[in-house]
Amino acid sequence: MGIPGSGLAKGLAVTLRTMTRKSHTAQYPDAQPELPPRTRGVIGLFEENCTVCMLCARECPDWCIYIDSHKETVPPAAPGGRERSRNVLDRFAIDFALCMYCGICIEVCPFDALFWSPEFEYAEEDIRDLTHERDKLREWMWTVPAPPALDPRAEEPKEIAAARKAADKLAAAEAAEAAEAAQAAEAAQAEAERGSGGTAGNGNGNGNGSGNGTENGNGAAL
């Protein structure tokens, strides 16, 4: 058997040890918590990247994403081409009263239109106000933290490599055109200089010939 009152003594010992430790209570909201950058607070929408593919709405297990769109006809980019149709976003809303913050919509988006933001202070008195329309979702994009830096030893992303290759190709083409234009200008200038020199030489020859003929005639008359 244990000593009577030993449990009480152990409890008091824990209380005494806790009383002597420094408190770690966060004085929220006076002191804002330091949250990790990947905290799942709220979802932001980058509307320019959305193609209305509806993949996020179909994969959402809570069906809390609402998307409306319509089709528009795009004229051909070149004469003789055919018209194309594209989806135009009319409504993109997320009901955070239903959302369980699983992040599936962000993971399945193929065009990086949805992002996590660590902001969490968006409580509402009316549950209907927890449905954030696309204007509100776009405002959350300003609170999305910057992505972490890449590993210096990691391979360059394919998108950046392709963009750099295209930029280098365009710069090389522009440099070649500039070199050809400079060569053409030099050739034209040299041709103009040769033409002006030939004209001056012909004039001097004609003048000398006329003068000699006159002198010879005068001498014969004398």
Side-chain angles (χ1 to χ4, degrees):
M1 288 183 62
I3 302 175
S6 59
L8 178 60
K10 291 180 180 179
L12 292 175
V14 173
T15 302
L16 292 174
R17 286 197 302 269
T18 305
M19 290 175 60
T20 57
R21 293 176 183 173
K22 185 179 179 180
S23 176
H24 296 282
T25 303
Q27 302 300 322
Y28 178 82
D30 297 330
Q32 293 293 326
E34 296 182 1
L35 301 175
R38 297 184 64 184
T39 299
R40 298 185 176 189
V42 70
I43 298 174
L45 171 65
F46 190 55
E47 186 177 338
E48 285 75 7
N49 286 359
C50 182
T51 61
V52 200
C53 64
M54 306 293 291
L55 192 58
C56 56
R58 289 198 300 265
E59 297 295 332
C60 178
D62 290 336
W63 292 83
C64 63
I65 300 178
Y66 313 108
I67 300 177
D68 293 330
S69 65
H70 69 277
K71 290 185 177 294
E72 286 186 357
T73 302
V74 180
R82 64 176 183 177
E83 297 180 345
R84 301 176 59 188
S85 62
R86 66 172 181 178
N87 292 322
V88 179
L89 184 66
D90 294 329
R91 185 195 182 201
F92 194 109
I94 299 178
D95 188 355
F96 287 102
L98 297 177
C99 179
M100 65 180 186
Y101 303 88
C102 63
I104 293 179
C105 58
I106 298 176
E107 294 177 3
V108 301
C109 180
F111 301 104
D112 293 333
L114 298 174
F115 297 87
W116 277 118
S117 167
E119 293 293 328
F120 61 93
E121 295 178 323
Y122 52 92
E124 301 288 349
E125 295 182 357
D126 191 345
I127 193 173
R128 292 172 294 183
D129 294 334
L130 286 175
T131 301
H132 294 186
E133 299 293 336
R134 66 176 183 176
D135 294 336
K136 183 66 174 179
L137 296 175
R138 185 177 181 86
E139 293 178 3
W140 291 123
M141 280 299 302
W142 297 105
T143 63
V144 174
L150 297 176
D151 190 340
R153 296 171 296 179
E155 295 182 359
E156 188 178 37
K158 296 180 179 179
E159 295 82 358
I160 298 179
R164 180 175 288 108
K165 184 177 180 180
D168 294 342
K169 186 177 180 180
L170 180 60
E174 292 178 352
E177 291 179 0
E180 292 178 359
Q183 292 178 358
E186 292 177 359
Q189 184 177 0
E191 185 68 23
E193 291 177 356
R194 285 196 299 268
S196 61
T199 303
N202 293 333
N204 294 332
N206 295 333
N208 294 333
S210 301
N212 293 333
T214 304
E215 291 178 357
N216 294 334
N218 293 334
L222 294 173

